[in-house]
Amino acid sequence: QGDQKWAGESQSCGKWNGAVASRLESNGIRCKTVFYREWRRAMWERALYDAVWNVVGAVREEETDHADVAMFFDMEASDMMWELANNLRGGLAVTLIYGFEDRLFSIAEMRGKDEPCELIDEMFPHMQNVFPGKNRMFWEYCNYAKDKRGLLQGAEVPPVPTQLSELPSIMKQGNLRADGTI
C-alpha cells in the first residue's frame, strides 16, 4: 500500500525469518520478513521473471541480455507475463501482487545488463512444472527456440495449442475456485 516497494528485495519467512533477515542486512543485503503467502508470491514473481526474460531474449538472432528485453521487447515480455500470471490464478489459485510487472521490469533494468538470456535444457522441465497449463505464447516461443534457433534440443517441448478451445481456463467460465467447482 503506502510502503516503499523495492525491486528484487530478498525475503524470508518461517520460524527463523528474523535471524536470516538480520544476517543478510548486516552484510548490506535488504531482506524483508514476511508471512508464507507473501514469500510464495515473491517466489512466483522470480520464477516468472526467469522464464519470461530468458525465453523472450533467447529467440533473438543477436545475443540479448535481460536489460535489452526490458528496453526493446517490453510488449512481448509483458504479454507473456500476463498470460502466465493469469494461468497461475486460474490453475494454482495464486494471484500476484499489483505492480508485479513494474517490479520485474525494474529488476531487469537495474541488474539485467550483461546477464545473457539463455535456455538451459536441464532447467526446461522445471519451467514446465512451474507454469502448468497450455500457455500459447510461451509454447510458441519455446517451439521457435527449439525448431529455428537450435535451443532446447535435449528437452521435450509440448506442441502449441492450435485452437482457443484447447486452452482450458476455469477463470473464463466465471469460476473463482481452483478445484473446478462452480
Side-chain angles (χ1 to χ4, degrees):
Q1 289 81 20
D3 298 333
Q4 190 173 19
K5 305 215 176 13
W6 296 86
E9 180 179 34
S10 297
Q11 294 186 359
S12 64
C13 73
K15 184 176 182 178
W16 302 104
N17 66 358
V20 170
S22 66
R23 286 184 181 163
L24 290 173
E25 287 174 356
S26 68
N27 288 300
I29 300 171
R30 288 190 51 80
C31 185
K32 184 167 124 181
T33 58
V34 295
F35 185 64
Y36 173 73
R37 276 185 237 124
E38 294 300 316
W39 176 83
R40 184 175 178 215
R41 284 187 182 115
M43 296 304 105
W44 281 112
E45 282 186 16
R46 183 58 199 205
L48 189 67
Y49 174 82
D50 289 339
V52 170
W53 260 256
N54 284 307
V55 169
V56 170
V59 299
R60 310 290 163 209
E61 292 291 327
E62 65 280 349
E63 190 171 315
T64 308
D65 62 28
H66 290 208
D68 292 337
V69 172
M71 290 188 302
F72 303 116
F73 309 110
D74 56 330
M75 293 304 291
E76 294 171 56
S78 179
D79 289 346
M80 190 179 293
M81 278 193 295
W82 279 103
E83 178 186 71
L84 292 172
N86 285 337
N87 285 333
L88 281 177
R89 183 173 176 231
L92 297 175
V94 175
T95 302
L96 298 179
I97 298 171
Y98 177 77
F100 76 90
E101 191 177 17
D102 292 333
R103 284 190 298 279
L104 296 183
F105 275 102
S106 295
I107 292 170
E109 291 165 0
M110 285 187 322
R111 301 183 185 156
K113 197 70 182 154
D114 302 322
E115 187 175 340
C117 297
E118 54 189 356
L119 292 176
I120 302 168
D121 290 3
E122 294 79 24
M123 289 298 292
F124 188 74
H126 175 69
M127 287 183 355
Q128 282 182 296
N129 291 334
V130 168
F131 297 106
K134 296 182 178 180
N135 303 299
R136 184 181 191 106
M137 187 176 185
F138 186 71
W139 296 133
E140 284 175 352
Y141 275 65
C142 290
N143 277 286
Y144 180 85
K146 184 171 185 162
D147 299 338
K148 305 287 190 217
R149 299 279 297 130
L151 303 169
L152 298 173
Q153 292 305 308
E156 188 174 322
V157 180
V160 178
T162 56
Q163 298 178 9
L164 289 178
S165 62
E166 291 182 36
L167 298 169
S169 174
I170 296 170
M171 297 305 297
K172 290 183 179 166
Q173 297 170 6
N175 181 7
L176 295 177
R177 292 181 55 180
D179 64 359
T181 305
I182 294 177

